[in-house]
Amino acid sequence: MRSTKLQSLVRALAVAGVLAASLAPASTASAIPNDRCPEGYVCFWTGYDFTGTMSVYNNPRFPDYLCTGIRPAARTVFNNDDQPWNFYRDTNCQQFAVALEPGDVETSDRLLSWK
């Protein structure tokens, strides 16, 4: 009987381990590409995890702080600038998506503007 309880416990722990591993968040395999995104710039990629076409911007609307479109739409953004930026799901900066502090990265379904 003791052996049966021990076997049941081992099976339960194994199942719990498999469940925990399947629920863990996926990590980004790609490292932040500091060598491709110059310091003082915000870089956009059309694909997830720094894939696809990359665009580089250096305060394109400074000092007016107007809404600036992202074309083509970005799925990954790296803020390598020294100030925070806000990103939006529409082209006129109305549908807020995320704020990125310097050094932050965001992978999103689609970002279309920023300010």
Side-chain angles (χ1 to χ4, degrees):
M1 181 152 171
R2 184 177 175 110
S3 175
T4 305
K5 286 184 180 181
L6 182 59
Q7 288 174 344
S8 295
L9 178 61
V10 168
R11 281 190 204 114
L13 290 173
V15 169
V18 169
L19 287 174
S22 67
L23 295 175
S27 64
T28 302
S30 304
I32 295 173
N34 289 333
D35 59 331
R36 292 178 23 211
C37 186
E39 188 174 329
Y41 288 76
V42 177
C43 298
F44 302 92
W45 286 263
T46 56
Y48 296 106
D49 295 324
F50 312 106
T51 62
T53 303
M54 184 179 93
S55 303
V56 179
Y57 294 94
N58 181 9
N59 299 341
R61 54 190 168 53
F62 183 80
D64 299 327
Y65 296 99
L66 300 174
C67 181
T68 301
I70 302 170
R71 291 181 192 92
R75 296 198 186 278
T76 304
V77 178
F78 172 40
N79 182 4
N80 205 17
D81 198 7
D82 61 355
Q83 61 187 332
W85 294 101
N86 294 323
F87 298 87
Y88 301 84
R89 291 185 182 95
D90 64 335
T91 58
N92 58 359
C93 296
Q94 297 298 310
Q95 297 175 8
F96 178 77
V98 65
L100 293 182
E101 294 294 323
D104 283 353
V105 172
E106 173 67 17
T107 297
S108 180
D109 285 334
R110 221 174 135 170
L111 297 173
L112 296 171
S113 61
W114 63 307
K115 64 178 181 178

